[in-house]
Amino acid sequence: MSFFGSSNKAKSVLLIDIASSSIGAAYARVTPNAPAAILFSVRLPIDSTSSDMQSALMLRTLDAVLRELRQTGAPLLRRRTGSGSVHSVHVHLGAPWQEVQIEVETFADGKPFVFAEALLEKAKKAAEVPEGRFRSEEAVLGAVLNGYKTMMPVGKKVQRAEVIVLNATIEAEVAKLIKSTLGSFSLLHDVRFSSIPSLMLAAIPAAFPHEKDYLVLRVSGEATELLFVKNSFPMKYASFPSGLGEFARVAKSSGFQSFPDGGDSIDLKQKEETDTRMTDVTRRFTSAVVQRLYEYTSAHALPRTLFLITDSEAFSVIQRALNAPDMHALWLSDEPLAIAALESKFFSEAVGHEVGVAEDLVLDLLSLKARG
């Protein structure tokens, strides 16, 4: 839902997901209040073996993805729509490329006042942009007026208003390079950045309308992101520089081409030393998650539902890590945390794919946000 209106005309858009260890891209057709259609997609890994700077490796991979778009995707788009250009480019950046903050700005005058649109703008601008960084996203995620949530606060008479604000930044030089590179794909040179809080706000309520309080955990190659949602509003975001890569490197050194099933294969087939290394990696990962959860408990109760975004072959490994005793202790209960893999199939009524186009969850969700 948006505070602003949008056109009902179908548009071609370019979707980009820059994760910690890969970059995905897709051409899509979107129309407000209608299913999105993914026409073409590609995803390439970011080289983690090079000694070059992380940002240089990411930009190099982005160039490779864009070459694939120009050579294969654009001709397909032209055949389908009559043009190889798009209306806008939507870029989702995960950790570590983007820093995200969610703050609650409070307005209380001691007497009733009419909530004006200027207060929304004031709330969005409250966070300062650090030197050398670019504000990639600023958005009002929701508002609470006199204790009641609303997405349309303007014009209402209140005693107290709390505005939930998202602010995200990326390195200014990286932002400049991304915008200049991607701008050529759009007729209007319109490049829009987004982060996981706004992405989830655009997607989860439609697929899971009864879920109001939940966690979202995205575990990618070299980073993990954690989003806390309360009463349908994202309230806090956290990340740390560890992810599937650490698990995969231990598995690869033991002869596995992918992740063992829940760690059991390692227990049965590999040396005790390998099992110990996987246990150490799991413990470090769990401790990092627990630390972020514990910080959240200082102000809020923890939800009992967690949506997990990760590679399908790694789900059981991460689920095993999240079922550690240290995790259960935070809820002061023996009842297990409900962990659900977030998959494209949950959004099949809202996102369709051309025959032969692979599902890519984050790109699929980004198409929902691009509808406006």
Side-chain angles (χ1 to χ4, degrees), residues 11-15 26-29 74 77 81 83-90 182-190:
K11 301 172 184 176
S12 297
V13 295
L14 173 58
L15 314 171
Y27 280 121
R29 292 284 286 177
L77 181 67
T81 68
S83 172
S85 297
V86 299
H87 180 271
S88 54
V89 181
H90 299 259
L182 294 175
S184 62
F185 283 80
S186 168
L187 291 170
L188 303 176
H189 297 277
D190 183 4

Side-chain angles (χ1 to χ4, degrees), residues 78-340:
R78 188 176 294 109
R79 289 194 298 271
R80 284 294 308 274
T81 68
S83 172
S85 297
V86 299
H87 180 271
S88 54
V89 181
H90 299 259
V91 186
H92 173 265
L93 291 108
W97 316 115
Q98 186 166 228
E99 294 181 0
V100 178
Q101 286 186 319
I102 298 176
E103 302 288 347
V104 178
E105 298 295 328
T106 302
F107 300 95
D109 229 359
K111 56 183 179 180
F113 63 95
V114 176
F115 193 95
E117 189 166 329
L119 294 180
L120 292 178
E121 295 303 315
K122 182 178 180 180
K124 286 196 290 185
K125 301 296 183 183
E128 295 183 0
V129 179
E131 185 177 353
R133 299 192 67 81
F134 167 80
R135 192 191 299 274
S136 48
E137 185 180 20
E138 59 177 16
V140 172
L141 301 178
V144 179
L145 306 183
N146 295 344
Y148 296 92
K149 70 172 187 176
T150 179
M151 293 296 292
M152 304 294 289
V154 176
K156 296 179 179 177
K157 193 172 184 179
V158 299
Q159 292 268 36
R160 177 185 176 89
E162 296 168 289
V163 181
I164 304 162
V165 181
L166 165 70
N167 276 286
T169 65
I170 57 179
E171 290 183 19
E173 189 61 30
V174 171
K176 181 180 179 181
L177 290 170
I178 291 176
K179 292 186 72 174
S180 63
T181 301
L182 294 175
S184 62
F185 283 80
S186 168
L187 291 170
L188 303 176
H189 297 277
D190 183 4
V191 179
R192 309 175 191 181
F193 295 100
S194 67
S195 57
I196 199 166
S198 59
L199 198 62
M200 293 300 107
L201 188 61
I204 294 292
F208 303 93
H210 301 299
E211 292 291 348
K212 307 299 182 184
D213 303 316
Y214 55 88
L215 305 168
V216 177
L217 187 71
R218 186 186 188 187
V219 188
S220 57
E222 304 301 334
T224 296
E225 298 176 274
L226 186 58
L227 178 66
F228 302 81
V229 178
K230 180 180 180 180
N231 205 15
S232 300
F233 291 149
M235 296 298 295
K236 185 176 176 60
Y237 167 92
S239 68
F240 55 91
S242 175
L244 298 180
E246 290 195 55
F247 293 93
R249 283 186 281 274
V250 172
K252 187 176 180 180
S253 69
S254 305
F256 290 96
Q257 296 302 310
S258 61
F259 297 93
D261 184 12
D264 294 336
S265 298
I266 282 183
D267 294 344
L268 296 173
K269 298 179 180 179
Q270 302 300 320
K271 296 182 297 184
E272 183 178 341
E273 177 187 349
T274 303
D275 183 46
T276 300
R277 289 171 58 201
M278 184 62 84
T279 300
D280 289 342
V281 169
T282 301
R283 184 179 296 116
R284 288 197 300 271
F285 176 83
T286 304
S287 296
V289 174
V290 167
Q291 178 186 339
R292 275 72 185 180
L293 292 174
Y294 183 75
E295 292 169 358
Y296 184 74
T297 61
S298 63
H300 306 281
L302 286 173
R304 299 210 59 84
T305 299
L306 184 148
F307 292 111
L308 177 59
I309 303 174
T310 194
D311 293 353
S312 57
E313 66 268 22
F315 177 79
S316 58
V317 174
I318 301 302
Q319 185 181 43
R320 179 184 174 107
L322 296 176
N323 279 325
D326 288 352
M327 287 282 292
H328 291 294
L330 290 170
W331 277 267
L332 304 176
S333 169
D334 293 331
E335 185 181 346
L337 175 66
I339 303 173

